[in-house]
Amino acid sequence: MSTSVSASPFTGLDAERFSMHLAQRSYLPAWWTAAKQEAWNEFTATPMPARNHENWRFANLGGLALDGFTVPEEHASLVPHLPNFPHAKEIIFSNRQVVGRTSLSRELAKQGVIFAPLDEALRDHPDLVRRYFQQHPVNLGSEKFIALNIAFTASGTFLYVPKGVKVDLPFVVQHTITGDKQSIFPHTIVALEDEAEATLVEFFVSGDKLAHLASGVNDLHAGQNAKLTYVGAQNWSHETLSFQANSLTAQRDARITCLNIHLGGRQARHESHSRLQGPGAHCDMLALTVAKENQEFDQRTLQSHQAPHTTSDLLYKNALLDKAKTIFSGLIVVDPDAQQTDAYQTNRNLLLSDEAESNSLPGLEIQANDVKCSHGATSGRVPEEQLFYLTSRGIDPKKAHELIVFGFFEEVLNKLENEHLHAVLSDLIQSKFKK
Amino acid sequence: MKPPTELEAPVAENPAEGIDQSAGDFTYDVKYDYDAGAGLTENTVRYISDVKKEEPWILEFRLKALQTFLDKPMPTHWATKDLNNIDFDKIRYYLSQGQAPKRTWDEVPDDIKKTFERLGIPEQERKFLAGVEAQFDSEAAYSNIKEIVAKEGVIFMGSTEALREHPEIFKKWFGKVIPTSDNKFSALNSAVFSGGSFIYVPPGVKVSQPLQAYFRINAENFGQFERTLIIVDEGAEVTYMEGCTAPKFSTATLHSAVVELVAMKNAKIQYITVQNWAANVYNLVTKRGLAHEGAEIKWIDCNIGSRLTMKYPGVVLKGEGARGEVISIALANDGQHQDTGAKMIHAANNTTSTVISKSISVGQGRSTYRGVVHIPKHLKGCKNNTECDALLINSNSRTDTYPAITVRGNDHAVQHEASVSKVSEEMIFYMQQRGLSEAQAMSLAVNGFVNDLVAQFPMEYSVELKRLIDLEMEGSVG
């Protein structure tokens, strides 16, 4: 559990704050403290992204400045409302503190399932956490911000499902930020042992119009023949600067489905790296983005096929309104011995305004010859016929656009195969149009 | 003048057979009258300008470009590290046997004439061309245009000549499509350019037969920097084809051309390149066309050979309704990297562009597609369609695809599709059952892969390309 320590309010992300942060966690394992120290050193040694950095092509570098953000004091604030749908267990964080939590059923606990705040798991299961923590770091340009996350991580979640255990209902985590210029650094570790099955859904919310900094990192592992579903639904305030890095590893015959929904933030960068490490491994990488006003969503992906007979499918869909901007830069890399790879990558952009801008950089690097790999990108407007069809039936053009966007997104939401979750996420997306 | 250093081969009957891989791999020991020496300094640039008896504005342009070249870092953004192996101090920047091109093959010095005879150029000229220019190292050795074409006011000559004879047209468009500072190699070309073609087609004139230029590198450690400028006036049309070869040397050779095309209102330009550089050539070329209202520019770009090719022909679609097209075929064999692609810059309403790229990687060859599609804001009705297909022949071949697509506004349609595949084993098996060797079967499969594109070429060129593919595929399977 995180501890409440009253200290003078932080005013920035400097060495003094970092020392204080470490001091408050002296009870945690030494390896963890060392990892944090190393990350802090890396953060200070790494320059901010520069114009000539290919991994930041088209991005607004001016918007990345971290000046003025603070690490919040760890006090409980309003308990946010969690969407209502059947789920296994939940943990709710407000700023850096756990403010709501249901306990694990006796049955799941007996089977060895662990679902706990990261600080608690570090105390109770340090070796287990260490086995999965940052084993496969994401390396797509945001290294500086990932280092910052590790240095300051306090709100994190650890989900461990032992061999052969299958959990039907999703685990749910909610992160919220309150207070001006506050920052949070969630770190989620999901470890599914061989044959295990589980779903984790994370909601990221900040309801007010204040400026926030959010930098999250996920380590998601699926053992042999395991089935992992991860959903991250981000709906930060419109002034939030957000970074998120997802690392996904799939062993032999494992299946991972990873869906990220991007709604909030002034500038939101999302990196996702999947590694198919054993034959038969499969990963679905999905994303839906509604970009409005002056929002910028920057998505970088990498599908690494490291073993033969692996498959991956990426589908990122963006709907752009107003002066919003999206960047999708994806890469499929097939290693020389990853024969019989089957990999796809698709980015579709629906431009709903004259001033919106979509950038698409779908890439392939193929070093094996017996493979099926393809990528595609489209950018276009709402089909006239569809719009005509709806408006001629008396539907208001604005509503018609919304319906068409929903039709466009439906293909992705259907892949979740969970109607409750589908409904919750649809509502969330709809709320963005009402704002 | 010394005699040829190797036995003469008979001139091929078929022009296509004349331009094969081995036919390009020979050299004559030529005595050069003009030689700027190795390395690049202000004096090199002054020497070239002096030999060419240029007007002061050209020297000024060159010297400014030299400074830009020196100031600009090597591209590191995404470029391959192999660029760092170019030794600019060892390269010879100007070599010629006099700068005036001959009008008949009889006047061309024997050693140079033999080179082009072995490559089958005079033969092709008689058969199907409207005009030919043949460049040997830095200058055109031969330049001629059919009388009937010249009568219509079509100008076709080397850039060196054109700068003297038509400065008014030249100056108006020179460096306007590709500014000197576009990249380090366009700056280098602007400093030391020599040779290349100049074409002007007057309004309404449609040149029915293709004009051809042939670029030959003979000397070792040489840099060829031709500069081509093609202006096709309102409603006029032209097809231009270029071919390139160089012998194999153990040292690196640099070829760094700048090609600018201007298609005025409703004009059409088709620019075809079939290059078969030897495996020591760095081929770093900047090619771009400017398409005015209703104009059409089509690049057909076939890259075989070279050590490293970096070439992304582009079209700036400047006028309403302009059309741009790039058809690109690349074949990368062992030790070769074909880094090719296309740029489509939409700058007016209702402009459309198409990119079709097919690459084949053989052995340890590496092919890369790099593309840019740009639709800026406040335009209406722009369309782009890009298709990239890669074929991998051996298990250690490699291919990369890196397109970048930027679209602003809600009234456009942009589509990019790419795929990677290999030659199916069943297909090879069936062909072998019918008595073909594995290599023959593979050639046939590769030819099938590019067939729909090759069908768009003038006949003679499609034959040549198919033959080049056959030669490249020989002994490459396994």
Side-chain angles (χ1 to χ4, degrees):
Chain A
M1 281 293 293
S2 54
T3 48
S4 275
V5 174
S6 70
S8 58
F10 295 131
T11 55
L13 302 165
D14 57 20
E16 200 188 331
R17 315 298 166 246
F18 177 67
S19 306
M20 214 177 285
H21 171 78
L22 272 195
Q24 288 169 353
R25 281 163 185 76
S26 51
Y27 61 96
L28 292 174
W31 69 264
W32 174 251
T33 311
K36 278 178 164 280
Q37 184 63 55
E38 199 183 309
W40 174 256
N41 296 345
E42 194 193 327
F43 170 72
T44 52
T46 310
M48 287 295 269
R51 181 52 54 210
N52 62 358
H53 199 316
E54 180 65 18
N55 279 330
W56 289 86
R57 199 166 161 193
F58 297 115
N60 167 24
L61 300 178
L64 303 176
L66 302 174
D67 308 336
F69 287 112
T70 63
V71 180
E73 287 192 69
E74 297 175 0
H75 59 81
S77 67
L78 286 176
V79 179
H81 176 66
L82 191 68
N84 182 25
F85 66 103
H87 57 270
K89 295 298 144 216
E90 68 192 41
I91 300 175
I92 301 176
F93 293 91
S94 181
N95 291 347
R96 296 152 75 76
Q97 194 174 358
V98 177
V99 293
R101 181 182 181 189
T102 51
S103 56
L104 207 59
S105 73
R106 201 168 295 160
E107 196 196 344
L108 287 177
K110 220 170 87 186
Q111 288 178 304
V113 173
I114 301 166
F115 181 54
L118 189 58
D119 282 356
E120 189 182 302
L122 278 163
R123 188 191 64 201
D124 298 342
H125 313 279
D127 295 340
L128 201 53
V129 176
R130 191 179 192 176
R131 198 190 300 164
Y132 296 101
F133 168 75
Q134 284 289 282
Q135 282 307 303
H136 301 285
V138 175
N139 191 16
L140 295 174
S142 284
E143 292 75 18
K144 187 177 178 75
F145 308 106
I146 292 170
L148 184 65
N149 169 285
I150 294 164
F152 280 105
T153 289
S155 59
T157 310
F158 182 68
L159 171 61
Y160 174 79
V161 184
K163 188 174 178 183
V165 176
K166 296 178 168 61
V167 187
D168 288 338
L169 292 174
F171 294 90
V172 177
V173 175
Q174 185 172 55
H175 288 278
T176 59
I177 322 177
T178 57
D180 193 30
K181 287 283 183 181
Q182 302 292 345
S183 44
I184 64 159
F185 304 96
H187 197 123
T188 302
I189 299 174
V190 177
L192 302 194
E193 295 285 12
D194 298 351
E195 324 283 334
E197 288 183 22
T199 297
L200 177 68
V201 183
E202 289 194 290
F203 294 96
F204 302 92
V205 196
S206 57
D208 46 38
K209 287 192 173 358
L210 302 173
H212 301 128
L213 168 66
S215 165
V217 174
N218 290 348
D219 298 321
L220 310 174
H221 302 262
Q224 287 193 18
N225 216 18
K227 193 175 167 195
L228 167 61
T229 303
Y230 173 85
V231 177
Q234 182 269 93
N235 193 21
W236 296 127
S237 81
H238 262 40
E239 297 306 319
T240 300
L241 174 61
S242 161
F243 301 94
Q244 177 72 42
N246 277 2
S247 170
L248 313 159
T249 50
Q251 305 304 322
R252 175 184 280 267
D253 295 323
R255 289 188 74 81
I256 296 181
T257 304
C258 180
L259 165 64
N260 287 282
I261 292 177
H262 308 287
L263 302 173
R266 157 177 64 83
Q267 187 167 351
R269 167 126 177 157
H270 192 276
E271 298 181 358
S272 202
H273 184 177
S274 65
R275 295 174 176 87
L276 291 311
Q277 298 190 318
H282 173 82
C283 186
D284 270 305
M285 294 166 83
L286 308 166
L288 296 178
T289 305
V290 182
K292 276 175 82 170
E293 294 163 27
N294 284 309
Q295 286 184 301
E296 176 177 314
F297 292 93
D298 186 352
Q299 307 177 80
R300 312 275 162 164
T301 69
L302 180 51
Q303 293 153 268
S304 296
H305 288 261
Q306 301 173 339
H309 295 283
T310 49
T311 55
S312 69
D313 197 354
L314 178 148
L315 181 57
Y316 274 38
K317 289 193 169 189
N318 301 324
L320 293 94
L321 298 92
D322 309 323
K323 291 184 168 178
K325 174 176 168 182
T326 61
I327 301 156
F328 168 78
S329 173
L331 191 58
I332 295 174
V333 175
V334 177
D335 285 1
D337 54 356
Q339 295 290 4
Q340 284 88 44
T341 286
D342 214 332
Y344 298 91
Q345 179 197 58
T346 308
N347 169 227
R348 302 215 185 283
N349 301 297
L350 193 58
L351 292 153
L352 298 160
S353 131
D354 233 2
E355 311 237 31
E357 175 182 319
S358 72
N359 297 278
S360 213
L361 301 102
L364 300 174
E365 283 178 5
I366 313 294
Q367 298 176 70
N369 72 325
D370 190 6
V371 300
K372 274 191 244 165
C373 288
S374 68
H375 64 199
T378 56
S379 293
R381 62 192 300 181
V382 168
E384 284 299 340
E385 317 82 68
Q386 285 185 28
L387 203 58
F388 174 76
Y389 181 84
L390 290 170
T391 49
S392 67
R393 270 150 190 78
I395 295 168
D396 162 70
K398 197 170 168 248
K399 183 75 188 164
H401 268 109
E402 193 183 313
L403 287 170
I404 289 166
V405 171
F406 266 84
F408 175 69
F409 282 172
E410 201 65 8
E411 179 189 0
V412 173
L413 291 175
N414 281 338
K415 294 199 181 206
L416 283 179
E417 296 172 0
N418 180 327
E419 56 177 302
H420 296 294
L421 197 49
H422 188 143
V424 166
L425 297 175
S426 288
D427 284 352
L428 190 65
I429 294 169
Q430 213 139 25
S431 72
K432 172 95 182 226
F433 281 93
K434 298 212 170 73
K435 261 185 194 170
Chain B
M1 241 176 272
K2 289 179 193 170
T5 53
E6 60 174 79
L7 289 172
E8 288 176 41
V11 177
E13 284 294 309
N14 181 340
E17 282 174 4
I19 312 175
D20 66 29
Q21 190 185 42
S22 51
D25 187 20
F26 60 89
T27 175
Y28 291 102
D29 201 354
V30 168
K31 180 185 168 293
Y32 295 99
D33 298 325
Y34 302 97
D35 182 348
L40 179 58
T41 64
E42 198 183 308
N43 285 338
T44 322
V45 172
R46 288 184 185 280
Y47 178 87
I48 295 170
S49 196
D50 190 47
V51 166
K52 290 166 142 345
K53 300 186 177 60
E54 286 175 343
E55 288 186 33
W57 74 267
I58 307 171
L59 177 63
E60 209 174 295
F61 174 90
R62 289 180 182 276
L63 290 172
K64 217 175 135 204
L66 175 68
Q67 201 49 52
T68 307
F69 167 72
L70 294 173
D71 292 345
K72 256 191 177 332
M74 280 297 251
T76 51
H77 204 45
W78 36 255
T80 158
K81 288 193 171 58
D82 192 22
L83 282 181
N84 297 330
N85 293 320
I86 300 172
D87 189 344
F88 291 102
D89 293 332
K90 283 196 178 149
I91 287 165
R92 294 192 283 171
Y93 291 84
Y94 184 86
L95 287 173
S96 82
Q97 273 189 331
Q99 328 87 55
K102 307 299 181 230
R103 295 292 177 223
T104 69
W105 284 106
D106 288 341
E107 295 170 76
V108 175
D110 267 358
D111 46 0
I112 295 177
K113 188 169 77 186
K114 275 178 193 137
T115 298
F116 285 109
E117 273 176 0
R118 279 186 69 167
L119 295 167
I121 307 300
E123 188 73 24
Q124 291 187 63
E125 182 185 9
R126 279 193 294 279
K127 278 188 177 167
F128 74 103
L129 298 171
V132 163
E133 186 190 274
Q135 181 170 336
F136 193 83
D137 292 334
S138 293
E139 295 287 0
Y142 172 85
S143 180
N144 202 5
I145 183 168
K146 281 189 179 157
E147 209 176 317
I148 186 162
V149 182
K151 262 189 190 154
E152 292 188 275
V154 176
I155 303 168
F156 177 46
M157 56 177 60
S159 293
T160 306
E161 262 187 297
L163 269 166
R164 271 197 298 269
E165 295 184 23
H166 303 280
E168 69 299 338
I169 319 179
F170 210 101
K171 203 171 172 179
K172 187 176 174 194
W173 292 107
F174 181 63
K176 298 296 193 298
V177 186
I178 300 170
T180 299
S181 60
D182 192 79
N183 63 75
K184 191 170 176 79
F185 293 96
S186 66
L188 175 63
N189 175 285
S190 301
V192 296
F193 72 92
S194 181
S197 303
F198 172 79
I199 296 172
Y200 173 76
V201 185
V205 174
K206 295 178 182 173
V207 184
S208 58
Q209 288 176 302
L211 297 169
Q212 193 193 40
Y214 208 86
F215 297 94
R216 170 72 181 171
I217 295 178
N218 185 66
E220 200 166 353
N221 272 329
F222 180 64
Q224 191 173 52
F225 305 97
E226 87 261 17
R227 182 97 191 186
T228 290
L229 178 59
I230 299 177
I231 298 142
V232 179
D233 222 320
E234 281 194 24
E237 292 177 15
V238 76
T239 293
Y240 174 80
M241 313 198 299
E242 59 170 359
C244 321
T245 63
K248 280 179 192 155
F249 293 114
S250 54
T251 55
T253 300
L254 178 60
H255 174 252
S256 192
V258 168
V259 175
E260 298 177 286
L261 311 183
V262 180
M264 302 306 285
K265 190 176 172 183
N266 297 327
K268 275 188 189 174
I269 302 176
Q270 180 162 265
Y271 191 108
I272 304 171
T273 304
V274 176
Q275 69 165 50
N276 181 28
W277 292 120
N280 63 315
V281 175
Y282 285 92
N283 183 40
L284 310 165
V285 174
T286 313
K287 290 184 167 178
R288 198 169 303 154
L290 187 63
H292 290 90
E293 192 184 336
E296 184 181 306
I297 292 179
K298 181 171 179 174
W299 297 96
I300 297 179
D301 198 34
C302 305
N303 296 295
I304 296 175
S306 86
R307 168 172 172 166
L308 169 67
T309 289
M310 294 179 82
K311 190 206 284 176
Y312 322 100
V315 183
V316 179
L317 301 147
K318 191 169 182 269
E320 172 130 24
R323 244 190 75 67
E325 189 168 346
V326 172
I327 290 178
S328 165
I329 296 176
L331 202 161
N333 215 324
D334 269 342
Q336 299 178 343
H337 185 180
Q338 302 285 3
D339 197 323
T340 60
K343 287 184 186 177
M344 290 297 175
I345 311 298
H346 291 255
N349 289 340
N350 302 313
T351 47
T352 55
S353 60
T354 305
V355 177
I356 304 175
S357 158
K358 297 215 180 198
S359 71
I360 302 123
S361 304
V362 184
Q364 305 238 16
R366 178 176 177 188
S367 64
T368 301
Y369 172 83
R370 228 178 272 280
V372 170
V373 174
H374 187 74
I375 301 180
K377 62 174 167 178
H378 303 317
L379 294 186
K380 293 281 177 198
C382 298
K383 285 189 183 124
N384 165 267
N385 186 49
T386 303
E387 287 172 40
C388 305
D389 294 318
L391 189 67
L392 297 167
I393 299 295
N394 306 76
S395 58
N396 49 3
S397 310
R398 167 169 186 169
T399 184
D400 319 306
T401 316
Y402 308 106
I405 305 151
T406 297
V407 182
R408 282 189 90 159
N410 68 342
D411 190 29
H412 309 294
V414 175
Q415 185 164 313
H416 168 98
E417 296 291 341
S419 73
V420 175
S421 56
K422 67 165 201 163
V423 176
S424 92
E425 272 165 35
E426 296 84 47
M427 189 158 60
I428 299 299
F429 175 76
Y430 283 125
M431 287 192 276
Q432 283 183 284
Q433 291 298 298
R434 276 147 188 80
L436 294 180
S437 72
E438 196 185 356
Q440 285 171 324
M442 209 54 108
S443 276
L444 208 58
V446 171
N447 271 310
F449 175 71
V450 296
N451 203 34
D452 52 334
L453 295 188
V454 174
Q456 301 191 33
F457 293 17
M459 241 285 272
E460 287 73 8
Y461 264 48
S462 59
V463 172
E464 177 183 337
L465 190 71
K466 283 185 177 208
R467 179 145 169 75
L468 280 173
I469 288 172
D470 286 346
L471 283 160
E472 269 316 297
M473 297 308 295
E474 260 174 30
S476 58
V477 184

